[in-house]
């Protein structure tokens, strides 16, 4: 299971109509859009890609990874 902040990031990306950048996710997490917060979020996004939760289709643009038959993976708490 993912820690809360990672789960929140995955849910934000899942609800988006298209790819998101770290600078678009930070305010949705309720954080101030400072360079430090954006870079910290970018690091979390990269870790979520490594673990198969997200895809980075283009550099810096993140989408939800597709999982066959695993739609509840993100929403379960």
């Amino acid at each position: 299971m993912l820690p809360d902040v990672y789960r929140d990031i995955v849910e934000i990306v899942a609800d988006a109509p298209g790819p998101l950048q770290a600078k678009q996710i930070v305010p949705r997490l309720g954080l101030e859009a400072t360079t430090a917060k954006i870079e910290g979020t970018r690091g979390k996004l990269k870790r979520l890609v490594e673990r198969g939760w997200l895809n980075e289709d283009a550099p810096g643009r993140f989408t939800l990874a597709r999982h066959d038959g695993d739609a509840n993976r993100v929403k379960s708490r």
Side-chain angles (χ1 to χ4, degrees):
M1 189 51 44
L2 292 172
D4 289 344
V5 69
Y6 286 87
R7 191 176 317 128
D8 292 343
I9 290 170
V10 172
E11 289 177 0
I12 289 167
V13 173
D15 291 341
L20 291 176
Q21 296 177 302
K23 66 182 179 181
Q24 296 170 302
I25 294 170
V26 168
R28 294 175 186 183
L29 290 170
L31 302 172
E32 188 177 342
T34 63
T35 301
K37 298 295 183 189
I38 293 168
E39 291 303 318
T41 300
R42 183 173 291 116
K44 289 176 178 68
L45 289 161
K46 296 280 189 176
R47 282 190 287 281
L48 287 165
V49 170
E50 290 171 5
R51 295 178 181 147
W53 288 88
L54 299 179
N55 288 330
E56 188 175 8
D57 297 329
R61 306 201 39 95
F62 299 90
T63 58
L64 188 65
R66 302 292 175 228
H67 296 281
D68 295 333
D70 204 8
N72 292 323
R73 185 174 177 191
V74 174
K75 298 293 182 183
S76 62
R77 288 189 179 233

